[in-house]
Amino acid sequence: MAELNIAIAGDLHDQWDRSDHDVLDLIRPDALLLVGDFSDGKSRIPELLATLELPLACVLGNHDAGKDGSGRTLRHQLELLGDRHCGWGLRELRPPGLAVVGARPGTAGGGYHLSKAVRAVYGPVGLHESAERITRAALSADPQLPLVLLAHSGPSGLGTQVDDLCARDWKAPACDWGDQDLALALDQIRRRRPLPLVIFGHMHHALCHHQGERRSFRRDAQGTAFLNTASVPRHGVDQQGRALRHFSWVVFSGGDLRHISHRWYGIDGALHYEQTLWRAALPAAGVLSPC
């Protein structure tokens, strides 16, 4: 299996326009993943995404319903995205050859809670039913494809300190604010097949009340990497006055996870800054890997 380069856009919060498409045309990832919170229910970004020819998958976040508890705004977002949205389901991207399973759409973290909008669209889905939907989708994926779990909020169990990947930072005391259904699904999936990568956002990298910056990566003892992509705002300008666009970047090679980073590109496609979070170790000198 050839090298697979994946660009991920964290929480957009209305910061997505034609310049992002231009950058993608220049840097040419094999696929694009998005973790939700596109805007506050406006149709502009889903309509833009529909014009991309790049293989993509996404899941909606808590902001995407706007303030409309009736579910009409959320339903309209889902209609615009069509099968690009994979919440509670499987999307196999062929090409390039990637299985993406979406977690619970519309989550705001904090254990398990369905908003009025999500309940209006999907019905009263319980904690264990949600975990089972995620698990079932993952186990139906082609086992020959790398599997990525795509969520808006990450799973519970990643720490309780204020700067942990899914911890609450806006109110003391800090606590684990991850999703319990996603944690249950992860446990069930990994009993049956490898799960190399879980991608999410929601908890912004810049902590509230000037508490510093959130840790955005962790890899556990079972070999699953957890990546928080919520660099907000993802449009910026550096000290030289150059416009920047943030993407997280993941590389698979031969079906194995090889590289994870945060990248800031110029609108001309030049890579100006890169924060490498993890790179797979090469085999030690003189040690042969099995074929």
Side-chain angles (χ1 to χ4, degrees):
M1 187 178 291
E3 186 170 276
L4 174 61
N5 290 272
I6 305 167
I8 307 111
D11 295 30
L12 305 184
H13 290 295
D14 218 31
Q15 291 201 332
W16 185 271
D17 55 33
R18 290 289 179 184
S19 70
D20 291 284
H21 293 210
D22 294 340
V23 171
L24 289 168
D25 284 341
L26 292 165
I27 65 177
R28 301 183 64 82
D30 298 299
L32 171 67
L33 305 180
L34 302 102
V35 303
D37 274 6
F38 296 158
S39 64
D40 289 307
K42 297 185 284 292
S43 62
R44 181 183 68 84
I45 290 176
E47 289 172 348
L48 271 175
L49 293 175
T51 68
L52 274 175
E53 296 183 4
L54 185 67
L56 72 88
C58 66
V59 63
L60 290 177
N62 54 302
H63 278 263
D64 293 308
K67 297 182 179 179
D68 178 9
S70 73
R72 287 190 293 269
T73 298
L74 178 59
R75 187 173 285 109
H76 183 55
Q77 300 284 300
L78 293 167
E79 290 169 352
L80 291 171
L81 292 167
D83 63 3
R84 299 174 185 86
H85 185 265
C86 61
W88 273 325
L90 168 67
R91 179 164 171 77
E92 291 185 346
L93 301 178
R94 299 175 183 266
L98 180 69
V100 184
V101 168
R104 171 166 46 104
T107 174
Y112 189 82
H113 172 73
L114 293 186
S115 68
K116 290 181 180 179
V118 172
R119 187 180 293 268
V121 172
Y122 291 98
V125 180
L127 169 67
H128 292 284
E129 181 182 352
S130 177
E132 178 57 31
R133 288 186 182 189
I134 299 166
T135 302
R136 188 166 55 246
L139 297 181
S140 68
D142 185 341
Q144 301 302 312
L145 298 179
L147 176 64
V148 172
L149 210 159
L150 184 65
H152 179 58
S153 175
S156 59
L158 293 180
T160 59
Q161 299 301 308
V162 69
D163 62 346
D164 282 325
L165 278 72
C166 301
R168 182 177 67 185
D169 60 306
W170 63 90
K171 179 182 178 182
C175 63
D176 186 344
W177 204 251
D179 281 350
Q180 294 174 352
D181 54 331
L182 183 51
L184 289 172
L186 290 174
D187 182 59
Q188 295 167 11
I189 293 165
R190 295 196 295 187
R191 294 177 185 179
R192 302 280 296 277
R193 66 163 293 169
L195 179 57
L197 181 61
V198 181
I199 296 170
F200 52 92
H202 184 53
M203 309 301 288
H204 299 177
H205 292 175
L207 299 174
C208 292
H209 312 306
H210 307 288
Q211 298 177 88
E213 187 165 298
R214 184 181 305 280
R215 288 178 282 178
S216 60
F217 173 78
R218 175 176 168 182
R219 189 167 183 262
D220 69 12
Q222 293 178 261
T224 298
F226 298 88
L227 176 62
N228 180 330
T229 65
S231 179
V232 179
R234 58 172 301 274
H235 285 183
V237 178
D238 69 7
Q239 293 182 346
Q240 300 177 50
R242 299 177 298 192
L244 301 176
R245 301 291 180 263
H246 175 270
F247 290 96
S248 298
W249 197 266
V250 168
V251 179
F252 283 89
S253 182
D256 296 325
L257 187 61
R258 306 300 300 177
H259 170 94
I260 298 177
S261 64
H262 295 306
R263 295 182 176 185
W264 289 263
Y265 289 93
I267 56 175
D268 60 353
L271 177 58
H272 291 312
Y273 305 97
E274 180 173 23
Q275 179 188 11
T276 299
L277 301 171
W278 180 81
R279 181 179 290 115
L282 294 174
V287 177
L288 299 178
S289 298
C291 296

